[in-house]
Amino acid sequence: MYGHTCEVYVLDDGAEVDLDLGNYERFLDITLHRDNNITTGKIYKLVIEKERTGEYLGKTVQVVPHITDAIQEWVERVAQTPVQGSSKPQVCIIELGGTIGDIEGMPFVEAFRQFQFRVKRENFCVAHVSLVPLPKATGEPKTKPTQSSVRELRGCGLSPDLIVCRSEKPIGLEVKEKISNFCHVGPDQVICIHDLNSIYHVPLLMEQNGVIEYLNERLQLNIDMSKRTKCLQHWRDLARRTETVRREVSIAIVGKYTKFADSYASVVKALQHAALAANRKLVLVFIESCQLEQETLVSEPSKYHKEWQRLCDSDGILVPGGFGSRGMEGKIRACRWARENQKPMLGICLGLQAAVIEFARNKLGLKDANTTEIDPQTGNALVIDMPEHHTGQLGGTMRLGKRTTVFSEGCTSIIRQLYGNPKSIEERHRHRYEVNPKYVPQLEEHGMRFVATDVDKTRMEIIELRDHPYFVATQYHPEYLSRPLKPSPPFLGLILASVDRLPQYIQRGCRLSPRQLSDASSDEEETYVGATKLMKSLQITGTTTPTNGISRNACRSSNSSTISTVSSDIEGACGGVGVGPTTTNGHGEDIGKE
């Protein structure tokens, strides 16, 4: 974590980048590379290296044209790089961060001023994002900040084609026309994006504002508009689910950086993806691992008991990654509680190491078991430094990027089934320490299963516990590859185990049943199940009213008018093929096989 305030996002090629690139990967379902992240340092380093090798033939190196040319050449090169499959992208989105007028961003602004003439108008479109504040004292949206920033932008030689107004509440037509008048754009070029209940509504709101039509015409994209509704249907379903889901699942994140919202951004997003796939509303409980330690019991007993109470009340536990000794004992204690109390738990990176150390201490009797990161002199080093050294690169000792994880032969683990029973998987890593292979046989003898390793079988990648609903830990970071419509299997397993639905999910071939996708209350479920059993025993068909007086049509929800049939070729929420045919009621619950 940079300064313990912001998550470090890792790409396939091992690049450590800003979490914004994670947002792009998740929303667009693409794979970005280190060159998709342009920084001032990278540009200046490139120009200095060119000067040192004589490419400028002794000329004086200046911001204009050398720095600005380097920026334009970088953008043109990266714009041709495939990010999904092998096809060349049709559109390249460039986020020019910061605030217009900031001195550090001026070389980039000047580069794009030149760039618009380099690529011609039909290939260049500027969208300016501006805040429209709403002072509580007046309750009236203020457009002056937008007018000022647009004037500053135009003074730098860039005229916005679209002005995207961010606001707390929806902006009226009068305000929209005012911005249009004073900012030299048409009313249809002013797009208002107010705060929404879910971020998944934003693409739909942009579509309603005519962004697709405008870009299609402005950039001459020749998009077939007839396919638009079908393409966005999955997003509509996802956005609708965020609004209608009622049943909750609470997950406790036992971490070291819980004071900062962005520290576990990808972990939180992955949990949200999995919860929505299982049709549950996610309730996050952030627990500072330091508060679970013995020292807190002595110094601040009220905080200690409060945090433990919150942990115990949660449906599942997630122990994320981190570095350093602070809070490690609290993570170890959380792992022990989850193991001994059959509480579903997922450990990631340091979370796996904490689980292994706890198991060694309390099951193997190795009371001094520890990691050499914390205690280099420990007598039982369960976790040791096993860096991937990159010769000639200072600090290049961390295992970064996508690596292959191979499942053990004959392995029938829960996590492997969640992935679809492959021989191997590829996930992203960011760590330096590994489980000591010397202790693996002892740990396995006492019930800890190492179900996957690296290709050389020297690095332990996944652990599971026998006779536990869900106690899984991974050395890699599965959150980096989670997508809104394709949740990460380890996270989906945690959510399903936390709501007692994991066994049914696995029995169905890792596909969510209509009942698991329904949001009916427990009382409704019992009513439907009871009616089903009674109907089966009486061999009732069609819409015959059962003896208890409840007809099948009476069980339909208010927005449903027919009994639907889910055929065997219909895909489930996670892309799997549904098992059927199954007759369902309006709530999506099973009421019997046809």
Side-chain angles (χ1 to χ4, degrees):
M1 309 288 174
Y2 291 139
H4 290 179
T5 60
C6 179
E7 174 190 68
V8 176
Y9 190 79
V10 178
L11 303 176
D12 273 6
D13 57 11
E16 295 177 286
V17 297
D18 187 82
L19 57 84
D20 284 344
L21 273 77
N23 290 328
Y24 285 118
E25 282 203 333
R26 280 187 286 268
F27 266 85
L28 301 175
D29 193 15
I30 56 177
T31 301
L32 299 177
H33 314 282
R34 64 175 67 248
D35 285 349
N36 288 99
N37 185 43
I38 311 175
T39 64
T40 302
K42 285 183 177 182
I43 294 297
Y44 275 81
K45 181 174 182 287
L46 176 65
V47 171
I48 291 171
E49 287 174 347
K50 284 185 175 182
E51 191 277 332
R52 290 290 86 190
T53 56
E55 291 191 35
Y56 299 127
L57 302 176
K59 293 179 181 178
T60 301
V61 177
Q62 298 176 295
V63 173
V64 180
H66 300 101
I67 296 296
T68 53
D69 283 351
I71 293 170
Q72 295 175 67
E73 290 164 5
W74 188 302
V75 169
E76 284 191 312
R77 172 172 54 84
V78 173
Q80 307 297 319
T81 306
V83 292
Q84 194 175 52
S86 58
S87 58
K88 188 172 72 173
Q90 189 177 6
V91 175
C92 177
I93 300 173
I94 303 164
E95 178 186 336
L96 180 54
T99 302
I100 191 67
D102 287 351
I103 189 169
E104 59 263 33
M106 293 313 293
F108 289 90
V109 175
E110 172 59 22
F112 290 117
R113 185 195 68 79
Q114 299 173 19
F115 195 64
Q116 63 185 326
F117 303 110
R118 184 171 180 163
V119 298
K120 308 304 178 187
R121 186 178 186 276
E122 64 272 13
N123 294 313
F124 189 83
C125 178
V126 178
H128 179 59
V129 182
S130 176
L131 175 68
V132 178
L134 184 70
K136 292 183 179 179
T138 62
E140 178 185 358
K142 297 297 181 182
T143 64
K144 288 296 182 184
T146 301
Q147 295 178 43
S148 178
S149 63
V150 169
R151 185 165 56 249
E152 180 81 20
L153 182 63
R154 295 183 68 197
C156 295
L158 288 173
S159 294
D161 297 286
L162 289 171
I163 298 177
V164 181
C165 300
R166 286 288 289 110
S167 61
E168 184 179 349
K169 296 180 180 179
I171 295 174
L173 182 61
E174 181 183 347
V175 177
K176 192 174 179 179
E177 289 177 345
K178 185 177 181 180
I179 293 173
S180 169
N181 270 335
F182 285 96
C183 296
H184 199 63
V185 295
D188 61 321
Q189 294 168 258
V190 180
I191 310 301
C192 301
I193 307 292
H194 59 277
D195 291 351
L196 299 163
N197 293 331
S198 167
I199 196 172
Y200 303 121
H201 286 286
V202 174
L204 304 178
L205 182 58
M206 294 179 73
E207 184 216 9
Q208 292 171 14
N209 278 274
V211 172
I212 296 177
E213 289 88 347
Y214 179 81
L215 292 178
N216 188 39
E217 180 183 349
R218 176 70 176 74
L219 298 176
Q220 301 176 13
L221 299 176
N222 299 318
I223 298 173
D224 184 0
M225 291 297 181
S226 63
K227 298 180 180 179
R228 183 174 63 180
T229 303
K230 185 177 180 181
C231 290
L232 285 173
Q233 189 57 47
H234 291 301
W235 276 109
R236 288 193 178 89
D237 294 341
L238 186 67
R240 189 182 302 115
R241 202 179 305 161
T242 64
E243 296 293 326
T244 59
V245 66
R246 298 194 304 274
R247 284 185 288 179
E248 297 179 343
V249 55
S250 60
I251 301 295
I253 297 181
V254 184
K256 301 168 62 171
Y257 320 119
T258 55
K259 293 180 181 178
F260 306 102
D262 285 340
S263 294
Y264 301 110
S266 292
V267 169
V268 171
K269 295 294 183 185
L271 285 170
Q272 290 173 348
H273 301 163
L276 284 174
N279 217 39
R280 292 297 187 278
K281 182 178 181 181
L282 179 66
V283 177
L284 288 174
V285 181
F286 285 100
I287 295 177
E288 187 74 19
S289 57
C290 296
Q291 306 294 343
L292 304 178
E293 298 177 355
Q294 189 67 26
E295 290 78 2
T296 306
L297 175 61
V298 176
S299 60
E300 298 178 280
S302 60
K303 281 188 177 181
Y304 175 87
H305 291 295
K306 180 181 178 181
E307 293 300 283
W308 272 106
Q309 181 67 48
R310 295 171 69 217
L311 180 73
C312 296
D313 289 342
S314 300
D315 298 317
I317 299 172
L318 190 145
V319 183
F323 294 91
S325 60
R326 186 180 65 86
M328 182 62 172
E329 290 301 320
K331 291 192 174 194
I332 291 172
R333 289 164 71 97
C335 291
R336 179 177 184 178
W337 190 87
R339 177 178 61 83
E340 293 180 345
N341 292 275
Q342 300 288 294
K343 180 71 72 173
M345 193 205 86
L346 174 63
I348 298 172
C349 196
L350 187 63
L352 176 142
Q353 298 168 14
V356 170
I357 292 170
E358 183 281 316
F359 195 84
R361 288 180 183 179
N362 299 297
K363 294 292 286 185
L364 274 64
L366 306 177
K367 298 301 180 183
D368 61 342
N370 214 327
T371 167
T372 55
E373 180 183 13
I374 296 173
D375 183 8
Q377 307 302 322
T378 179
N380 287 287
L382 267 290
V383 179
I384 58 176
D385 187 10
M386 292 176 62
E388 284 188 348
H389 290 282
H390 300 278
T391 306
Q393 294 184 19
L394 182 64
T397 58
M398 199 176 291
R399 195 164 186 244
L400 287 167
K402 182 179 280 189
R403 298 288 190 278
T404 300
T405 295
V406 181
F407 286 102
S408 303
E409 294 182 7
C411 170
T412 57
S413 67
I414 292 175
I415 191 68
R416 184 174 185 177
Q417 293 180 72
L418 288 170
Y419 273 103
N421 289 308
K423 291 184 178 180
S424 64
I425 55 174
E426 290 188 326
E427 293 277 4
R428 296 176 183 176
H429 295 66
R430 185 178 184 260
H431 64 95
R432 184 177 290 109
Y433 293 84
E434 309 270 359
V435 174
N436 192 340
K438 183 177 76 172
Y439 290 91
V440 169
Q442 288 178 256
L443 292 165
E444 289 192 319
E445 285 178 10
H446 287 78
M448 178 170 281
R449 303 174 63 203
F450 291 85
V451 298
T453 64
D454 70 337
V455 291
D456 297 325
K457 298 185 178 181
T458 57
R459 302 173 188 267
M460 304 300 113
E461 292 282 357
I462 307 176
I463 66 167
E464 273 189 21
L465 284 187
R466 295 193 185 98
D467 304 320
H468 194 286
Y470 191 79
F471 193 101
V472 172
T474 66
Q475 187 60 69
Y476 54 81
H477 289 262
E479 67 270 22
Y480 292 142
L481 294 182
S482 181
R483 302 289 183 262
L485 299 173
K486 294 186 293 184
S488 171
F491 285 89
L492 183 59
L494 173 65
I495 295 295
L496 291 173
S498 299
V499 295
D500 298 322
R501 290 291 185 269
L502 184 58
Q504 298 96 310
Y505 178 73
I506 292 177
Q507 287 172 9
R508 294 178 64 92
C510 290
R511 299 179 183 98
L512 292 169
S513 68
R515 180 176 296 160
Q516 286 173 319
L517 285 172
S518 76
D519 198 38
S521 67
S522 299
D523 292 339
E524 289 173 319
E525 283 189 11
E526 291 176 3
T527 301
Y528 296 136
V529 171
T532 300
K533 291 179 179 178
L534 183 59
M535 289 161 64
K536 284 183 177 179
S537 64
L538 297 174
Q539 296 182 346
I540 296 175
T541 59
T543 57
T544 305
T545 303
T547 55
N548 61 0
I550 302 177
S551 71
R552 299 209 309 192
N553 283 338
C555 295
R556 288 198 299 260
S557 63
S558 58
N559 61 354
S560 175
S561 59
T562 59
I563 294 180
S564 61
T565 300
V566 182
S567 64
S568 60
D569 60 351
I570 292 180
E571 290 190 354
C574 297
V577 178
V579 176
T582 304
T583 303
T584 65
N585 54 37
H587 293 278
E589 297 179 332
D590 295 340
I591 58 173
K593 294 283 184 181
E594 289 186 336

